[in-house]
Amino acid sequence: MNYYHIARESLGFFPTPLVALSKLSKKLDGPTIFMKRDDNTGLALGGNKTRKLEFIIGDALAKGADTIVTAGAAQSNHCRQTAAAAASLGLECHLVLGGKEPAQASGNLLLDKIFGCHIHWAGANRKGEDIPDIVEQLITQGKKPYVVPYGGSNELGALAFVEAYKELESQRKSMNLSFTHIIFASSSGGTQAGLMLGKKAFNSPCQIVGINIDKGETDKVPFDQYTLSLANRTAKLIGADYEFSESDLILNSDYVGEGYGVVGALENEAIALTAQTEGILLDPVYTGRAMGGLIDMIRIGVIKKTDSVLFWHTGGAPALFAYSNDLDFAQKF
Ligand SMILES: *Cc1c(COP(=O)(O)O)cnc(C)c1O
């Protein structure tokens, strides 16, 4: 495994903290729960995309780009962190966002605007279908655009989570911990592919369990196939001799509910419980759903009291402000 020749731009603060959620664990009468605080990566209110962007923006700079283009939902955490990274490096940033412009910008969208990026509203095309046209226009204007893939989930983005695994291993050892499961929100596949590769590279016995957030597909390929192929392509990139098969991919799709970004009782309970026992904010779209999944798996006995869980907090809390109407518990006083 060798990736130290790959360009990287420092954008965040690492290592992120690894903390015990002993009160939540007690409340659930459940297993030991630790949390990896990637909501504290430091770039523009943090999140897992900061790790990916260190390698992806590193590549953009190495290739002489002066303009960054990426896509996502209107409340995309990925787009917000990309906008901040671009601003910090003096790069022009174009975001292609799904839906249409709301009457008032809040949450991540407000932050995108504060970072001064150009926003293109794409209607139903929230996964970057309109990017080729925009790139062509930018080239005509004499710019050197660089496209950051949807969710930052290419080999460079996944590589960041091999590096993150290494960071976790070093904390785990110095704190004398062991984990049976690593649980996190999985949506465009980069986090999961990188953690799968990290598990192999560090010969770790724990299960890497992605909680599926989106019914959809990435690059027109079903999500599980995309993630598996990304793990294999990333292994090649770093010269690791692994071939992942379907049995290596644990993707739990039981909690997708009504689909991407549709907040229900599961997310409401998880957000309230984590905030009110631990003083930690989850987000409505990703970590609220993933924690809701973990809570349910504890209740139905899929995860046992004797297990030891690491919940990887991937960020996203800025979206809370845009979802206040869906957080029923917080509206009832
Ligand atoms: C993007 C994102 C995820 C999912 O990560 P992927 O690598 O896209 O699967 C999870 N949580 C939050 C808060 C995110 O912004």
Side-chain angles (χ1 to χ4, degrees), residues 47-49 52 76-78 80-81 150-153 161 184-192 213 223 283 285-287 312-317:
N48 64 339
K49 305 310 181 304
K52 299 175 174 190
S76 166
N77 301 299
H78 161 69
R80 180 243 314 158
Q81 288 162 85
Y150 180 73
S153 282
F161 271 86
F184 54 95
S186 194
S187 167
S188 70
T191 302
Q192 182 147 12
I213 298 305
F223 179 58
D283 82 285
V285 180
Y286 298 92
T287 53
W312 204 300
H313 193 325
T314 45

Side-chain angles (χ1 to χ4, degrees), residues 210-227:
I211 306 292
N212 196 2
I213 298 305
D214 190 350
K215 285 178 182 160
E217 44 185 35
T218 300
D219 272 359
K220 303 201 165 53
V221 179
F223 179 58
D224 51 347
Q225 292 305 320
Y226 182 85
T227 305

